[in-house]
Amino acid sequence: MREGSPRYSTIIFDIYGTLVGGYSYSQHERVVAAMAVVMGARDHEVFARRFSFETWPARGTGKFPSIEANIAWIFEQEGWSLDQSRLAEALRLRMDFVAEGL
């Protein structure tokens, strides 16, 4: 490195559509719908809207430290009870989807 050059300690990449192929919106929405069913969300459309659109900016910027925290927040805001074993199954669906895309 040349003297006086900036030192960078981090590089940020946009993964989907840049480093790996993206996935279709319909594929994503099918997985979110399946997650809602598995978790027993009282209103699947409300869960899908909140997860896919309303909380995405907060999830993408680190407000939620994990998908679990994001889902728990949605369920709490809606007044729905969240069973941890059902949550684990929904997370498995999500991770399988992500892994397939990667």
Side-chain angles (χ1 to χ4, degrees):
M1 184 179 301
R2 295 180 316 176
E3 190 174 319
S5 296
R7 296 188 76 142
Y8 300 101
S9 62
T10 306
I11 298 174
I12 299 173
F13 292 99
D14 176 14
I15 192 165
Y16 290 108
T18 304
L19 297 177
V20 298
Y23 49 80
S24 75
Y25 175 76
S26 62
Q27 289 173 308
H28 178 263
E29 289 308 294
R30 278 194 296 273
V31 171
V32 172
M35 291 167 62
V37 169
V38 165
M39 290 183 297
R42 287 190 206 148
D43 187 325
H44 299 171
E45 290 180 18
V46 167
F47 175 78
R49 183 186 73 246
R50 295 201 81 172
F51 185 80
S52 295
F53 300 105
E54 294 175 9
T55 61
W56 157 242
R59 191 168 60 248
T61 57
K63 177 180 178 187
F64 297 112
S66 65
I67 297 293
E68 296 95 318
N70 185 184
I71 292 170
W73 185 88
I74 293 169
F75 270 65
E76 180 181 312
Q77 294 299 304
E78 293 299 324
W80 304 336
S81 61
L82 181 58
D83 178 279
Q84 292 301 308
S85 63
R86 288 176 158 226
L87 174 60
E89 178 61 17
L91 294 171
R92 186 194 62 75
L93 291 172
R94 171 90 176 164
M95 294 311 298
D96 287 352
F97 173 70
V98 171
E100 184 179 312
L102 295 177

